[in-house]
Amino acid sequence: MRDSQIVGEGYNRVLEDQDPTSHGEMVAIRDACKNLGTHDLNGCTLYTSGEPCPMCYGAIWWARIDKVYYASTIEDALHYGEFDDKKIYEAIKEEPHKRSIPCIGHFHDDMRRLWENFKSLIDSAKY
């Protein structure tokens, strides 16, 4: 919602879309961005049935949503639906190469050169 108006809606479409990223929050964020014509949802509030998982929280963060209201906790999701988001939150705290799904950095020097080029191109534009 923005200014008491619904700007996007969504529901869990994981099985329907055969897409593990189609959580209700993600679908609603995509819908709001499309409807508003922007990736920046500053000034918006998201209402959802459950405490956002790490993926959804990341999308909420990047969309710059101001606030989230939810009805059930990640503990409820584990107890009633066997969704164990806590493990993901815990894994993220680990060093990348020590996570349950290891993330191993490589080509760092090459990538740093690409970042320097990117930085010079965007100048004052903000993502």
Side-chain angles (χ1 to χ4, degrees), residues 6-9 27-38 41:
I6 296 173
V7 296
E9 296 179 286
V27 174
I29 289 168
R30 291 175 186 138
D31 189 47
C33 289
K34 180 181 172 189
N35 292 337
L36 295 173
T38 181
L41 300 180

Side-chain angles (χ1 to χ4, degrees), residues 52-69:
C53 74
M55 174 187 66
C56 292
Y57 185 78
I60 290 162
W61 179 279
W62 288 115
R64 297 173 178 88
I65 292 171
D66 291 358
K67 191 179 293 186
V68 177
Y69 288 96

Side-chain angles (χ1 to χ4, degrees), residues 33-109:
C33 289
K34 180 181 172 189
N35 292 337
L36 295 173
T38 181
H39 69 282
D40 188 340
L41 300 180
N42 196 331
C44 291
T45 300
L46 186 131
Y47 293 85
T48 182
S49 58
E51 183 177 355
C53 74
M55 174 187 66
C56 292
Y57 185 78
I60 290 162
W61 179 279
W62 288 115
R64 297 173 178 88
I65 292 171
D66 291 358
K67 191 179 293 186
V68 177
Y69 288 96
Y70 62 90
S72 66
T73 66
I74 58 174
E75 287 82 11
D76 295 334
L78 175 61
H79 180 76
Y80 296 105
E82 299 182 22
F83 296 102
D84 199 359
D85 297 344
K86 257 188 178 176
K87 286 184 181 178
I88 303 169
Y89 277 112
E90 290 169 5
I92 291 170
K93 294 176 187 176
E94 295 289 331
E95 292 180 51
H97 68 280
K98 292 182 180 178
R99 294 177 183 160
S100 55
I101 301 172
C103 297
I104 300 152
H106 62 104
F107 301 116
H108 187 234
D109 291 336

